[in-house]
Amino acid sequence: MKNKLLLFLLATFAIIPVAQAADIIGTIALSGTPPAEVPYTPLMNDPTCGAMYKTTPTTHFYVVGPNHGLGDVVVYLKDVTGKSTGANQPPVVMDQKGCLYQPQILAIQTGQKLVVKNSDSCIHNVHCVPKVDGNPESNQVQMPGGADLTFSFPKPEMFITFKCDVHPWMFAWVSVMDSPYYCLTDKDGKFDIKNVPPGKYVIEADHRKLGVLTEDVEVKDSNVTSDFTFNIK
Ligand SMILES: [Cu+2]
C-alpha cells in the first residue's frame, strides 16, 4: 500500500510542469572616459580624519573595471512591487571608517534593516534625508565605540542620501527595493538577479551619476542575459 502511494506521488509530480525560476545575468559597461574623481581635501584638513591617511583619498563615483565594466549600478526589475522579503533578510551593514562611509552605494529591501557601525575613534552623526512620503528622516549621533544604529524604510526609493553633519564630505546613497529582484553590479560590472519567476519584465539599470537605462527581458525556464552600456560623451 505504501509503495503504491509512493508510486502515485512520483507519477503525479513527474507530469506536473513546474514553472522554473531563472536568473537574469549581465554586465554593465561604461563607454567613454568618466570625469576625474574629487579628492577629499577637507577630510585631510581635519586633524583626526586626516591623520588616518598618507595620501588624500578621492571619491569613487565611477567604479570602472579593466574591461570597462561599471560597478555600483543598481539593477532591478521595474514595477515589481509589494514582493519585498526584506523583513526576513539579514541586515545590510554600512561602516564609518576613515571618516568615510564604506560602502557608499547600497541597496536594501523595504522593511530590511540597515545597520550602521562606527569603526572610527571620532564622533559621527548619521543623517538620512529620504524624499518619498512615508520614509522617515532620521538624525542620530554615534560616539566612538557606540552602539550600532539601525535604519529601515517602508517605501521604495532610489538613492536616499545619508550624510554626516560633523564631516560635510561624508555621503552614502541607499536604494530601497520593493522586491528581492535586484542586484548591485560588482567592480567588473557584473550582476545576477536570482530566482526570477517566468514572465516579461522591464529591467532597469540606475547609476547615481549616469542615470537610468532600461531593457525588456523575458524570463522563461533558463537564465537570460541582459547587458547595458552607459555612454559618456
Ligand atoms: Cu562623520
Side-chain angles (χ1 to χ4, degrees), residues 10 26 29 34 39 68 76 87 139 189 201 210:
L10 281 173
H68 308 287
Y76 67 103
N139 189 357
Y201 302 97
L210 295 169

Side-chain angles (χ1 to χ4, degrees), residues 49 96 99-101 120 122-126 163-170:
C49 299
Q96 296 160 105
C99 295
L100 293 171
Y101 290 114
D120 283 335
C122 60
I123 187 174
H124 293 291
N125 81 313
V126 186
K163 58 183 182 174
C164 175
D165 300 325
V166 182
H167 306 112
W169 59 83
M170 286 179 70

